[in-house]
Amino acid sequence: METTHIQTQATGKRHRLLAMLFITVVITYLDRSNLSIAATAIAQDLQLDPAQMGLVFSAFGWSYALLQIPGGMLVDRTRPRLLLALVIGLWSIATIVQGFAGTFAVLLSLRVLLGALEAPAYPTLNRVVTTWFPDSERARAIASYTSGQYVGLAFLTPALVLTQQHFGWQGVFFLTGAIGVVWGLLWYAVYREPSEASGINEAELETIRAGGGLVDLSEAGNRPTRTRYTAADWRAVLGNRKLWGVYIGQIAVTSTLWFFLTWFPTYLVKYRHMDFLKVGFMAAVPFLAAFVGILGSGLLSDWMIRRGVSATVARKVPIVTGLLLSTAIVGANYVETPAMVILFMAIAFFGSGFSSITWVLVSSMAKKELLGLTGGMFNLMGNLSSICVPVVIGFIVRNSDFKPALMFMSAVGVIGALSYLFLVGKIERIR
């Protein structure tokens, strides 16, 4: 009697989902960094000095950082399909409107609005990856979609430069905003929770579930929504030494990123006197280096986990190593040729990418019913750099000397590495 063979091999739906997360991250960072491409032309047209440009660069961070907590709370209450589609569409419209800005005040206000609308984005993505991936794959998954902030800009920066050459700085905002509107509609049409997704079988759901993925988080009775947060919840998020070590380290990780998202093109054009079109292609090199860095760190970290290395070592080694490499940015102060400047910038941004698997710590350490709140606090702390770094650099370079600014950036990297070495203890979920 022949036995019927039942297909039990797990499908790979979660791996295909990564493409959607990757595209989402590319779009979020296009809308954050488009200002850096247009900055020189905007400063000339609107007659803005370096201090004013520093304020405009930082305006996104004012609302983005401060609204991370409300954004995280929203993530704990709202399904990703609706929430992400809505905020992508709204911030993309705000991006388009920036192309019509004619004064410092209007541009500043629109950047604040953009930051407010993007605030729930990363906590939502972290919530998605926590439900779709087991622990042993999570660092690679986070590295894969987070790499969109680097590789997308690496390939699209030259395209944005060419757009500005042909259609003015306004065209940069029109193009990036239109892309976002289309993607918001596609996200709503395609994305589903694991238990509702087509093309996934029970074997894959069990693989995720058995590996620590919160695959049932969205189901009635399993979703740990909050009508309010208790004092104990806030103590779990704000009173834990390990999390404070992660928060301080994240400020350092994102500081290098925000330098490249804001002042980097201006540094090359105005302070290193490079041709604008040439800058569009040379600026892509550090972004590609950061892309290699983050993919490499995700692969290394998960490989160490599979080899039986503790999560503490496997997660910390790439982060601390990357933060120390990011201090290489100061080397650009001591070279003259464009190639050497780009080399030091590429090493520093590689380090920034190598340290950027930090969201995996939120997935691994946060109380499961506080994923959104912890992610919001983590992103709030990390994005204090989006407020401080552009403003501090703007004031430092008022005397037309960029060297102290790069020394400042290097010092921040050292502080971040020390935070992980001495404040973050064993990596485990907070009970």
Side-chain angles (χ1 to χ4, degrees):
M1 181 175 182
E2 186 176 338
T3 302
T4 303
H5 175 70
I6 300 175
Q7 178 65 36
T8 58
Q9 184 176 358
T11 49
K13 180 73 174 181
R14 65 191 184 279
H15 302 302
R16 295 190 290 275
L17 171 71
L18 282 177
M20 294 182 66
L21 303 184
F22 177 88
I23 294 170
T24 302
V25 170
V26 169
I27 290 171
T28 63
Y29 276 85
L30 275 178
D31 292 333
R32 297 179 196 190
S33 66
N34 49 19
L35 179 64
S36 69
I37 301 300
T40 304
I42 289 175
Q44 183 176 355
D45 283 0
L46 304 187
Q47 299 182 340
L48 306 181
D49 62 31
Q52 288 177 307
M53 281 307 304
L55 289 171
V56 172
F57 279 139
S58 73
F60 172 93
W62 302 350
S63 54
Y64 183 78
L66 294 177
L67 290 177
Q68 284 304 302
I69 299 301
M73 293 177 176
L74 193 60
V75 171
D76 286 335
R77 292 175 169 85
T78 311
R79 288 197 173 196
R81 181 190 179 202
L82 174 62
L83 179 59
L84 203 54
L86 184 62
V87 295
I88 290 172
L90 290 174
W91 89 54
S92 298
I93 293 171
T95 298
I96 292 171
V97 176
Q98 286 175 67
F100 297 102
T103 66
F104 168 74
V106 170
L107 184 60
L108 192 77
S109 300
L110 289 170
R111 295 299 292 184
V112 172
L113 177 61
L114 179 68
L117 293 170
E118 282 205 23
Y122 257 74
T124 303
L125 295 177
N126 189 61
R127 192 255 194 218
V128 169
V129 83
T130 304
T131 58
W132 272 92
F133 288 87
D135 290 338
S136 63
E137 298 177 5
R138 204 166 290 154
R140 281 176 293 165
I142 291 173
S144 295
Y145 76 73
T146 305
S147 69
Q149 69 194 41
Y150 304 117
V151 71
L153 297 178
F155 289 110
L156 294 176
T157 292
L160 295 183
V161 169
L162 291 172
T163 298
Q164 179 170 313
Q165 287 290 109
H166 289 89
F167 303 104
W169 61 265
Q170 295 88 347
V172 174
F173 294 105
F174 296 155
L175 175 62
T176 53
I179 291 171
V181 169
V182 172
W183 182 246
L185 294 172
L186 287 174
W187 173 271
Y188 185 79
V190 175
Y191 178 77
R192 297 293 186 276
E193 296 282 77
S195 59
E196 302 166 352
S198 61
I200 188 171
N201 64 8
E202 185 60 35
E204 182 173 9
L205 290 173
E206 185 55 36
T207 296
I208 300 169
R209 189 182 293 115
L214 305 181
V215 70
D216 302 312
L217 193 61
S218 63
E219 295 181 6
N222 291 323
R223 189 168 61 200
T225 55
R226 285 290 208 235
T227 56
R228 65 185 180 88
Y229 289 97
T230 66
D233 294 334
W234 287 104
R235 283 196 300 271
V237 172
L238 288 173
N240 188 283
R241 176 182 59 84
K242 296 180 181 181
L243 288 180
W244 272 105
V246 173
Y247 297 155
I248 294 169
Q250 186 65 2
I251 293 173
V253 170
T254 57
S255 290
T256 303
L257 172 63
W258 277 100
F259 165 77
F260 280 93
L261 292 180
T262 56
W263 281 104
F264 179 51
T266 299
Y267 167 68
L268 297 182
V269 172
K270 185 174 180 180
Y271 297 90
R272 285 295 186 165
H273 311 293
M274 298 185 191
D275 176 76
F276 185 74
L277 277 178
K278 185 178 181 181
V279 163
F281 292 91
M282 294 189 72
V285 175
F287 283 97
L288 288 174
F291 168 68
V292 173
I294 192 168
L295 289 185
S297 67
L299 291 171
L300 172 63
S301 184
D302 280 349
W303 176 81
M304 292 172 74
I305 291 287
R306 292 194 302 274
R307 297 281 293 183
V309 177
S310 70
T312 301
V313 174
R315 302 316 191 195
K316 281 187 182 181
V317 165
I319 296 171
V320 173
T321 302
L323 283 165
L324 292 175
L325 285 172
S326 72
T327 65
I329 196 169
V330 74
N333 283 342
Y334 306 102
V335 295
E336 297 298 330
T337 64
M340 290 303 296
V341 170
I342 295 298
L343 174 62
F344 278 105
M345 291 291 169
I347 294 171
F349 214 12
F350 171 87
S352 176
F354 204 70
S355 63
S356 292
I357 61 166
T358 45
W359 269 104
V360 75
L361 301 182
V362 177
S363 296
S364 301
M365 297 174 69
K367 296 176 70 172
K368 69 177 184 179
E369 66 271 23
L370 297 176
L371 278 170
L373 182 62
T374 308
M377 181 61 69
F378 171 81
N379 221 19
L380 184 157
M381 295 297 180
N383 279 281
L384 291 178
S385 62
S386 67
I387 301 172
C388 299
V389 168
V391 172
V392 169
I393 292 179
F395 279 93
I396 289 176
V397 304
R398 284 182 300 173
N399 297 323
S400 299
D401 185 2
F402 218 95
K403 290 182 179 179
L406 298 187
M407 294 173 66
F408 162 73
M409 293 302 306
S410 184
V412 170
V414 172
I415 292 170
L418 292 176
S419 177
Y420 270 98
L421 288 173
F422 296 105
L423 290 180
V424 181
K426 183 180 180 181
I427 294 175
E428 58 187 354
R429 191 168 302 282
I430 297 169
R431 304 297 178 186

